[in-house]
Every structure is written in C-alpha cells, then in structure tokens.
Amino acid sequence: MFSEGNYAHIWELEDKGKYHEARMSTSRKNSQTGEYEQDWSSFGVRLVATAHEQAKNLDTSKNVRIGRCGVSNKYDKEKKITYTNYVIFNFEDENSNSGGSDTQKPQKSKDDFMDVSASIDDDELPFC
C-alpha cells in the first residue's frame, strides 16, 4: 500500500529536472501461502523536494521507506478518465539509511494533524 512508513521498491528513476519520476511497487506477505504479493504499483510517482535530492544518489536495488507523501485524483470529463497522482516528499533508504546527504524525517507544520498515540484514553478525545 502506498502510505507513509511503508516500504516500496523503486524499479526505475528518471530525472525530469525539477523532480524525479519513479516506477514503484509495494508488496505484502500472504498469510496463507507465505509468499509476497504485489499490492500497489505505479509508473508515475513524483519524487519532489527532499526526495528529489535523495533520488540523485539512490541505489535502486534497495527498498525505500516512504516518508511524507500524498495522493490526488483528477477527472477528465472529455475523456471520462480519472487520473491518480502520487507524490513523495522524502524517504529513507532501507539498507544504508541514506538517500542524500542526510535522511530527513518528516517535519511537522502547524497545519499537520497531531500524532495521537495508542496510550490516549478514548475519554480524552474531543469527540464522541
């Protein structure tokens, strides 16, 4: 699944100048067979900002841990097609922990949601 914190394999990278475009996939282990099965793939994932810089030195034989990321959709009325766009802002290299000068953890801004840990009691939440 494409989401922050999950591991993905980058199969191909292309530097487009202001960003990199990647062919990526994720897999999960089938509990019945013990084999890994692909559960998501895309040919047009954009690596921007820190991820763009990290991609310049990435060894594509290794997996990466997805950092801050996003997904958007756009519907083309004339073609009657929905386009899904994936973007990654940063990542961690699974094995060497480097994908640039320093792997950066996602930074929180004042607009981000707070991190609710499992230790918070339901009675402390601001909704019913």
Side-chain angles (χ1 to χ4, degrees):
M1 174 188 311
F2 179 83
S3 66
E4 185 173 342
N6 285 351
Y7 287 93
H9 189 82
I10 298 178
W11 298 97
E12 294 176 6
L13 270 175
E14 184 178 348
D15 190 340
K16 299 283 193 170
K18 293 184 179 183
Y19 63 93
H20 272 77
E21 192 167 85
R23 190 181 115 206
M24 299 178 69
S25 67
T26 61
S27 300
R28 65 177 175 81
K29 192 172 187 176
N30 182 318
S31 60
Q32 306 251 324
T33 65
E35 306 234 349
Y36 283 90
E37 300 172 347
Q38 181 176 304
D39 63 352
W40 170 83
S41 68
S42 178
F43 284 86
V45 179
R46 286 193 177 187
L47 307 178
V48 301
T50 302
H52 173 53
E53 293 302 316
Q54 291 175 298
K56 293 177 182 177
N57 300 316
L58 181 65
D59 178 354
T60 57
S61 69
K62 296 179 171 76
N63 291 333
V64 297
R65 185 172 183 207
I66 300 169
R68 289 197 66 191
C69 59
V71 180
S72 64
N73 291 314
K74 181 179 180 184
Y75 181 71
D76 185 326
K77 291 179 186 179
E78 293 176 9
K79 295 181 182 178
K80 297 183 181 179
I81 296 175
T82 300
Y83 295 95
T84 303
N85 303 301
Y86 298 94
V87 63
I88 296 177
F89 298 99
N90 67 349
F91 60 84
E92 295 177 17
D93 184 306
E94 176 187 53
N95 296 317
S96 68
N97 215 15
S98 66
S101 57
D102 284 320
T103 302
Q104 298 179 8
K105 293 195 175 190
Q107 296 180 359
K108 297 286 182 182
S109 74
K110 66 180 181 178
D111 298 326
D112 286 338
F113 291 97
M114 72 179 246
D115 183 22
V116 179
S117 70
S119 64
I120 293 179
D121 187 11
D122 287 346
D123 295 331
E124 296 174 332
L125 295 174
F127 50 84
C128 310

